[in-house]
Amino acid sequence: MNHDQYPDATIRGILNTVKSIAMVGISPKENRPSYFAFKYLLERGYRMVPINPGQAGKDILGQKVYARLSDIPEPVDMVDIFRASQHVLPVVQEALTLKPRPQVIWMQRGVRSDEAAALAEAAGLKVVMNRCPKIEYGRLSSEIAWMGVNTRTISAKKAKNLGGGIQRMSLDRTTMAGGTTDAAERALHNKDSGS
């Protein structure tokens, strides 16, 4: 797989499929990016499992913290790595010992390990590097647009209200880069049929 760019369909497929995410390197500090990402994904309905040896046994956002992946009592679908690139390989090696194995290894923005990616892919896992699932979820659901970022996607469709506060959207919408809108598809159909 080309790890320099990912099709929207690949990212959307992962985020629609996984239900539980172990975040390795979560910080209990509210001003840290890992805390923001953890909270955001938790609020979107993912089962979030915090992994931080220094916080083991405590809670972060109401979720029990574990020292390592092998301490988690239930299977997880994805391992989200919030550690520096040089620490990724041991995390992936541990993830490969889990029974059952996670489906996805995801490395946060700025984190890349081609060696760890090759190891995970050889074992049949999907790998995403140098991306943030929080950002990708927001981008693909058009939620980021509601927060002031121009996605260049125009739609008259009212977004589904999935919660209180900031508008929460789901990933069942297509984006300009990942597909077309219903209106564009109707226009194309009308053009092709001569109507």
Side-chain angles (χ1 to χ4, degrees), residues 15-77:
L15 294 174
N16 273 332
T17 303
V18 301
K19 304 293 181 227
S20 57
I21 302 171
M23 185 179 284
V24 178
I26 171 85
S27 173
K29 297 177 181 173
E30 295 179 13
N31 64 343
R32 302 294 303 200
S34 60
Y35 186 93
F36 286 131
F38 188 94
K39 182 178 183 199
Y40 180 94
L41 295 169
L42 184 65
E43 290 173 350
R44 295 323 175 270
Y46 293 99
R47 162 85 175 100
M48 298 300 295
V49 182
I51 307 295
N52 181 325
Q55 298 295 313
K58 299 178 183 176
D59 282 6
I60 295 177
L61 290 165
Q63 309 303 307
K64 182 179 177 181
V65 181
Y66 296 93
R68 59 195 151 273
L69 291 170
S70 56
D71 293 339
I72 304 171
E74 72 270 352
V76 293
D77 300 323

Side-chain angles (χ1 to χ4, degrees), residues 75-102:
V76 293
D77 300 323
M78 183 169 101
V79 175
D80 181 13
I81 304 173
F82 244 110
R83 301 282 322 270
S85 298
Q86 66 266 27
H87 301 294
V88 169
L89 184 59
V91 174
V92 171
Q93 289 169 330
E94 183 184 12
L96 293 177
T97 67
L98 300 177
K99 301 285 188 241
R101 289 180 179 158

